[in-house]
Amino acid sequence: MTSLEFTDQVQKISYSLKPVAMNLTRDADDAKDLVQETLLKAMLNKDKFKAGTNLKAWLYTIMRNTFINNYNKITKRNSNIDSTEYFQYFNTNENYITHNGATSDFVVTDINEAIAGLSADYRTPFMMYYIGYKYLEIAEKLQIPIGTVKNRIHIARKELKQALKTYAPGV
């Protein structure tokens, strides 16, 4: 198969790739990126395609593997965060920072005390979520249902809002 024939066939099949990409990514922009990356990889590796085999299946395999590799990169990047020292990840609101930093220290202290005041059942999932874990990852690590994780995070947020309402602007 010549390069021109290969390119022509890939172009014809490319329109059927988008629905599959949408199914995988569940996002229109991500689906377009996935199709584009799949087509790029197919063109770069056209010498590895064996004439007489199913080109559509070959493209779907490239797409699926690309999606899985990208997903693994994202989850690996998010799960390498050390969750033992939660408090080092806090950023303060720039409205509370002064030249000498005293106000900022009070705010950070109040936030840390409010978080420390949470029950461990609420504090642990909240802090895991805050540093980047997904609900499912938290549920698996803590061995509790995902609905419980969501509920505990919601309650922790509510309690923190109440404890820190003095810092709420305009309230």
Side-chain angles (χ1 to χ4, degrees), residues 24-35:
L24 288 171
T25 62
R26 309 246 187 256
D27 181 71
D29 293 332
D30 290 341
K32 287 177 186 176
D33 291 342
L34 182 59
V35 169

Side-chain angles (χ1 to χ4, degrees), residues 10-23:
V10 167
Q11 186 178 8
K12 288 177 186 173
I13 295 172
S14 68
Y15 298 106
S16 66
L17 295 175
K18 180 133 190 232
V20 176
M22 274 297 290
N23 194 26

Side-chain angles (χ1 to χ4, degrees), residues 1-2 15 27 51 75 93 98 116 120 124 130 134 136 138 143 159:
M1 175 182 302
T2 67
Y15 298 106
D27 181 71
T75 56
N93 186 334
T98 62
T124 302
Y130 179 78
K134 305 284 186 230
L136 189 57
I138 298 168
Q143 298 178 350
E159 288 182 16

Side-chain angles (χ1 to χ4, degrees), residues 40-71:
L40 176 65
K41 286 182 179 183
M43 292 301 176
L44 292 174
N45 296 296
K46 65 184 166 201
D47 55 313
K48 295 178 183 174
F49 177 72
K50 294 180 181 126
T53 58
N54 188 343
L55 179 61
K56 193 174 194 178
W58 187 69
L59 290 171
Y60 284 158
T61 301
I62 292 172
M63 181 184 296
R64 186 188 72 237
N65 290 342
T66 302
F67 173 75
I68 291 169
N69 290 340
N70 289 343
Y71 178 80

